[in-house]
Amino acid sequence: MGGFLFAAFLLFLLVMFLLTTVRVVRQGFVYTIERFGKFTKAADPGLHIITPFIDRIGHKINMMEQVLDIPGQEIITKDNAMVGVDAVVFFQVLDAAKAAYEVSGLHNAIMALTTTNLRTVMGSMDLDETLSKRDEINARLLSVVDHATSPWGIKITRVEIKDIRPPTDISEAMARQMKAERVKRAEILEAEGDRASNILRAEGDKQSAILKAEGKREAAFRDAEARERGAEAEAKATQMVSDAIAGSGNQAINYFVAQEYTKAVGKFADSPNAKTILFPVEATQLMGSLGGIGELVKGTFGDTDDTVNVAPKNTGTPIPKPRERQPARRTTPRASVPRSTDKG
């Protein structure tokens, strides 16, 4: 019985020896090894054997990048505006020994350092700058905090401002200012649009007036040219008529007068609105004109037997005056042609 107890006791001592001798360090962590309370080395991830009852694990340092949330706080800006600010800090431990023995309470130290520098940086800026220059605030905080924590074996990777909360009255004033600014921009753009539209419309009217004036000038030039050519043609025709009159005498004049007279009488029948035609002339006058044409032909080509006698020669009997036209009856009107009273 005594031997069994002794064996059990030895087995227990062996197990305790193994537990105190063999240490396994997890990935992402570094353990500090202390001998009689003094730091001797840093144990990297893996299996390590230490001297039992002499060496021990001092601190378990997280070597991964960590996020530290900075609680919200009230900060007074340079222009005496009270704003609420929230921030976050990203950091990583580079030296486990320094992080374990150079500072007490690593997280609290980083939080306090970031808070004080945040007040310093934002307190030196106006409210408008704090709202519009977040990147500058982040860069300044990163530089200051990283420089302050470098003796602790800490690397500050990022400092970000999460939220900036101005007072309610300032927020309302900023909203009114933004609205007024946008209304101003809209009115300016509208005025510029109206000005551009008026300029373009005036340019269009100008070009239209220029084109119209050029068209009128061209039309006037063409009209003058047409009148000039018409006058030349008329002068040429007049010259030809004058030459014909000079060569034939009065017979040519009688021919031209009779021709125009016949054309004028023939136009009465071409009227589309006249159903009844009243000739205010004597038929014998038309016959006399035709007789004159016949005389003209005889005088021009000679009096031969083959010449057709167009109209009877006037015997000298006076042609009676045309009778006065009577009022039209309700029956279908007829053209009243007075007959000639040629006796003998």
Side-chain angles (χ1 to χ4, degrees):
M1 186 67 180
F4 177 75
L5 292 176
F6 181 74
F9 178 73
L10 290 179
L11 182 61
F12 175 75
L13 290 179
L14 180 60
V15 171
M16 292 298 298
F17 178 78
L18 292 175
L19 290 177
T20 56
T21 302
V22 178
R23 294 293 181 181
V24 177
V25 180
R26 295 181 299 169
Q27 183 66 37
F29 287 83
V30 172
Y31 294 173
T32 60
I33 306 300
E34 299 176 355
R35 177 170 294 178
F36 299 115
K38 182 181 178 181
F39 171 75
T40 56
K41 67 175 183 178
D44 296 328
L47 181 63
H48 295 271
I49 297 176
I50 62 176
T51 304
F53 307 110
I54 297 176
D55 296 335
R56 70 182 186 91
I57 303 298
H59 295 83
K60 298 178 179 180
I61 306 301
N62 188 350
M63 304 297 292
M64 296 179 288
E65 187 172 1
Q66 304 175 59
V67 180
L68 183 61
D69 191 6
I70 306 299
Q73 53 186 315
E74 300 293 332
I75 297 177
I76 300 176
T77 61
K78 184 178 179 180
D79 52 354
N80 298 324
M82 184 74 68
V83 295
V85 181
D86 295 335
V88 290
V89 178
F90 296 81
F91 70 95
Q92 186 177 11
V93 178
L94 301 181
D95 192 335
K98 290 182 179 181
Y101 301 108
E102 294 293 335
V103 61
S104 178
L106 179 62
H107 287 185
N108 293 332
I110 295 175
M111 185 181 300
L113 185 62
T114 304
T115 301
T116 55
N117 284 278
L118 182 62
R119 290 178 180 274
T120 302
V121 172
M122 296 191 66
S124 62
M125 304 174 68
D126 295 334
L127 177 62
D128 293 338
E129 294 178 344
T130 59
L131 296 176
S132 60
K133 296 182 179 180
R134 291 194 179 190
D135 293 338
E136 182 179 347
I137 296 174
N138 296 335
R140 292 175 62 180
L141 282 174
L142 177 62
S143 177
V144 173
V145 178
D146 183 58
H147 179 72
T149 57
S150 58
W152 304 343
I154 304 298
K155 175 61 179 177
I156 305 298
T157 56
R158 295 178 66 88
V159 178
E160 297 289 342
I161 302 297
K162 291 197 304 183
D163 187 22
I164 298 177
R165 300 179 301 276
T168 304
D169 54 348
I170 295 179
S171 299
E172 293 176 356
M174 291 172 61
R176 292 194 301 271
Q177 180 182 1
M178 180 184 65
K179 181 179 179 180
E181 184 68 22
R182 294 188 179 275
V183 171
K184 172 186 174 182
R185 292 179 183 177
E187 291 178 352
I188 291 174
L189 291 176
E190 185 177 359
E192 290 179 352
D194 292 339
R195 183 183 65 178
S197 176
N198 292 331
I199 291 174
L200 292 177
R201 190 177 294 109
E203 288 291 337
D205 295 339
K206 175 184 176 182
Q207 294 296 330
S208 177
I210 292 173
L211 292 176
K212 287 181 180 179
E214 291 180 354
K216 289 181 179 179
R217 184 182 66 178
E218 185 68 20
F221 177 77
R222 298 292 184 183
D223 189 23
E225 185 178 3
R227 289 198 303 269
E228 181 180 358
R229 292 185 179 180
E232 292 177 356
E234 186 176 358
K236 187 175 181 181
T238 304
Q239 183 65 35
M240 294 176 65
V241 172
S242 299
D243 294 341
I245 292 173
S248 300
N250 295 330
Q251 294 177 355
I253 298 176
N254 292 332
Y255 172 76
F256 286 117
V257 172
Q259 185 181 13
E260 295 298 327
Y261 184 80
T262 305
K263 291 180 180 180
V265 172
K267 289 182 179 180
F268 283 103
D270 295 336
S271 177
N273 297 324
K275 296 182 179 179
T276 302
I277 302 174
L278 298 178
F279 291 93
V281 295
E282 292 292 340
T284 54
Q285 294 180 358
L286 179 58
M287 298 300 292
S289 299
L290 296 177
I293 296 173
E295 292 294 334
L296 178 61
V297 173
K298 289 179 181 181
T300 303
F301 298 99
D303 190 4
T304 62
D305 295 338
D306 296 334
T307 304
V308 179
N309 193 0
V310 180
K313 187 176 181 181
N314 191 1
T315 57
T317 305
I319 300 175
K321 296 181 179 180
R323 290 179 293 182
E324 296 181 357
R325 186 170 54 187
Q326 299 296 327
R329 298 179 181 177
R330 293 190 175 271
T331 60
T332 303
R334 297 177 59 186
S336 177
V337 180
R339 298 181 179 177
S340 176
T341 58
D342 189 5
K343 295 181 181 182

